[in-house]
Amino acid sequence: MGDLVGIAVPGGSGTSGTYGSAIYGDLSDGTAVCDGSTAVAGMSRSGNVYTLSRDCSYASLTVNNGITVMGSAYRLAGTALVNNGTISGLAPNNGATGGNGGAGITPAGGGSPIIGNVPGAAAGANGGTGNGANGVSIGSPSLGGAGGAGGTGVTTTAGTGGSAPAGNSYGTFHNGFNALGPFLNSGVALRGQANAYGGAGGGAGGGDATNNGGGGGSGGIPVWVAFKTITGTGTITAPGGNGGNGAVASTLGAGGGGGGGGGWVVVISSSVIANAIAGQTITAPGGTGGTHSGATATDGAQGAAGNIYLIPN
């Protein structure tokens, strides 16, 4: 888990927020159930995975067990959320075994206010036969985690993980976000106002002069959720991609790729009590490092976790 920050919204009383009901939107998407077969307004579906195609506001949204809803950097809002499944940003890209790093991610919602018109998560480095390449750093400010370093090869060095400059951290997020005011009630998309990047990419593992080290994992995409009440037993998460393993063919030693840094999670709700939401597991983990091959190489490092902001309102 990343830094868990229970926030009394600036300008508030210290026990509740000042965004009010407008933050939950106009509820124009009605009542919806994500069950793996039913169409839902504002989302596309592929099997048990639903993906937002715009900002959405529901009077009631239920996410069933075994179902994943991917925010794709759009805002997911409404009055009542029953989450028994998983809500995430987008699936991160894992590094390949003895190959390329996970690609950076520019979500369909790339113009949304949580990340602006910029890539949401940085790429992992490509594995090669020589020294490991460094993971791609993410822009500033970032609320996500740094990428993990790759592992060393038999005679080669590891790539460093990409950095995730914190900037003014929550202050940056809040100042830009607060300027938006009510979003869906106005009928205006109000995009690109508050930039806060996701996770950085993992470094590549060093090769053995013939075989490649593992590729680094991509960073994680941010998640933004605002519902008046949140119940159920589910997960809200923004994971980084896993590092790839060193090339299997290497007997001398190829290093594993580093994990990508976690994205970040913001949840705004009256259900936030004592820095938690009952029944919900909320995480922004870095990706795991890849394992090395051969006798003298090392594993990649796990990416750093991103930040989690639970805001009572």
Side-chain angles (χ1 to χ4, degrees), residues 61-302:
L61 176 66
T62 299
V63 181
N64 285 352
N65 183 38
I67 303 298
T68 296
V69 172
M70 293 188 179
S72 190
Y74 287 108
R75 291 173 291 191
L76 182 61
T79 298
L81 171 64
V82 181
N83 179 34
N84 291 308
T86 299
I87 296 173
S88 67
L90 278 175
N93 292 316
N94 298 326
T97 295
N100 291 338
I105 304 173
T106 303
S112 78
I114 61 173
I115 58 173
N117 293 298
V118 295
N126 295 333
T129 59
N131 293 333
N134 297 334
V136 177
S137 297
I138 198 71
S140 177
S142 171
L143 303 181
T152 58
V154 58
T155 59
T156 54
T157 59
T160 61
S163 63
N168 195 26
S169 192
Y170 176 71
T172 298
F173 166 79
H174 172 75
N175 291 339
F177 171 77
N178 195 45
L180 292 174
F183 71 98
L184 289 174
N185 281 342
S186 68
V188 179
L190 293 171
R191 299 193 181 282
Q193 298 296 312
N195 296 331
Y197 296 76
D208 68 0
T210 301
N211 300 289
N212 294 343
S218 79
I221 287 291
V223 176
W224 193 100
V225 175
F227 279 83
K228 181 64 176 177
T229 63
I230 299 175
T231 57
T233 305
T235 299
I236 301 174
T237 187
N242 298 328
N245 299 332
V248 176
S250 175
T251 58
L252 297 175
W264 52 265
V265 176
V266 167
V267 182
I268 302 167
S269 178
S270 67
S271 298
V272 175
I273 298 173
N275 297 350
I277 298 176
Q280 299 297 307
T281 300
I282 303 175
T283 65
T288 59
T291 58
H292 70 279
S293 57
T296 57
T298 61
D299 295 343
Q302 182 167 356

